[in-house]
Amino acid sequence: MFNDWCYVRLRDRTVRERELDELMSERQRQVSKAACKLSLRARMARRLFALAVAAEKEETWRVVWERLGAKGGL
């Protein structure tokens, strides 16, 4: 009887491990699928960041241009 009980517990454990593996692989597929498609908020944040970087470059260029003009370097 003890051997039967151990076999049942071992079998139950393998079934649970298999179910856990399936659940984890499904979750990984969902995460990887979600990573490919960014939310609207994330896309807008990226676009606004790119615009901010472009604006900063323009501001920097204007400051340099004004300094050159002020020093008579033009």
Side-chain angles (χ1 to χ4, degrees), residues 44-73:
M44 291 302 296
R46 287 175 186 254
R47 180 167 284 169
L48 287 174
F49 181 76
L51 288 173
V53 169
E56 180 64 31
K57 287 180 182 176
E58 183 66 27
E59 287 296 317
T60 303
W61 175 248
R62 285 183 187 162
V63 169
V64 170
W65 186 261
E66 288 172 1
R67 284 186 184 173
L68 284 174
K71 292 182 179 180

Side-chain angles (χ1 to χ4, degrees), residues 1-12:
M1 180 158 172
F2 180 73
N3 288 338
D4 291 339
W5 178 249
C6 288
Y7 176 74
V8 167
R9 287 190 48 85
L10 181 63
R11 185 170 173 222
D12 187 41

